[in-house]
Amino acid sequence: MISHRKYANELAVRFTKLMSSDATSGILLIFVALMALFIANSSLGHGYHELFHHPLGWRPVARLDTLHAWINDALMAVFFFVVGLEIKREVIDGELSSPARRRLPVLAALAGMAVPALIYLATAGTALPAQRGWAIPAATDIAFAVGVLALLGPRVPASLRLFLLTVAIVDDLGAVAVIALFYTARIEPVWAVTALGLLVALVACGRLRVPFMPVYLLLGLGLWFCVLNSGIHATVAGVLLAFTIPLRPMRGRSMLLKLEHGLAPWNSFLIVPLFGFANAGVALAGIGLAGVLDPVPLGVTLGLFLGKQIGIFAAILLADRLGFASRPEGASWIQLWGMAVLCGIGFTMSLFIGALAFPGDPHLVEEAKLGVLAGSLLSSLLGFAILRLAPQPRRAGRTVDAA
């Protein structure tokens, strides 16, 4: 009996470690993306499409009339809520808490958004509707990229992993701003004003340090509902709510940290994989693999694969050479290049923006998905290869370049 209990405890510990691993969440994303692609192009393809896009019989929220809408507008609001919590924590008490720490990752993230957008526009053109997809290759998928880094283990210095995380966090904040500013079709004034009133109430609760979490969550639910009906994408409500959650401990605990730690596993192992499964299923029958050479998918592919690495690596190189900011300690230039390539894994955020960019054109949405998958695959393979084969920097009192 004792041996059985010991074995069960050991198994539970191993399972907990596995489920908390960055590599596990990254591998899970790869698996669900491949599964979605396989199912969408098999005899089950019609059922796959019907599952997510067939109108629901019961609609407690009128605007959410399909399972796909519930995933993209409701569950992804939770995803953005957790992202917002992470951003606030980093800005107040983390890697973005001082100007010196913010300088390089913010510059790298901005360059890593601008260059892919320019490459996309140069490839896909500036004529509508293709032009609306300019932001698709501008985002980095944190879980996917960090998952690939985790597979490399100690070959990647901790400073490089931390830098990638920081760049991706700033990147996510930029993506949220892009969604709010550029992918809002029409504002409904009454709903928008009501949402603003609820946001003011949430800010007041934070300022007054109200210690009751249900108050924030109930007001946040109302905020999400009003934003959903206002014309602004509902996921923006998740970030706004996160910014009002207090970080400083109250009654011996931090509400923000409790929520972040409690929701992070649900984000990594349920919400993001479910989103990936619902959105990565590209039906190639109407496109074909050669369709990746069409303007939109080619622009997305090149934006992610070339634009991200050029923008981020060039920003780090220039900042270091000009004395604006130093590169991450202990990382060689080759390793920094590999990290910049990994930032071209767009997946979750890119798929999400792709659906917003072409709401009335399902064919372009599918083409954008193909570009996201192609660009993310190329970036993950090349980034992994660079970091796996990169010489390890030698330490002799100081780090020596391996580049």
Side-chain angles (χ1 to χ4, degrees), residues 22 35 48 54 66 79 93 140 142 151 169 178 185 189 204 207 247 268 280 290 303 305-306 322 332 334 349 358:
D22 291 325
M35 188 192 304
Y48 169 86
H54 186 75
T66 64
F79 166 81
D93 194 30
T140 296
I142 295 178
L151 293 174
I169 288 168
V178 165
R207 293 283 186 181
L247 173 62
S268 298
F305 182 59
L306 294 180
L322 296 175
S332 70
I334 292 179
M349 293 296 288
F358 310 115

Side-chain angles (χ1 to χ4, degrees), residues 43-62:
S43 59
L44 300 173
H46 178 73
Y48 169 86
H49 185 272
E50 286 293 299
L51 172 65
F52 292 110
H53 297 280
H54 186 75
L56 297 172
W58 182 58
R59 303 177 193 176
V61 180

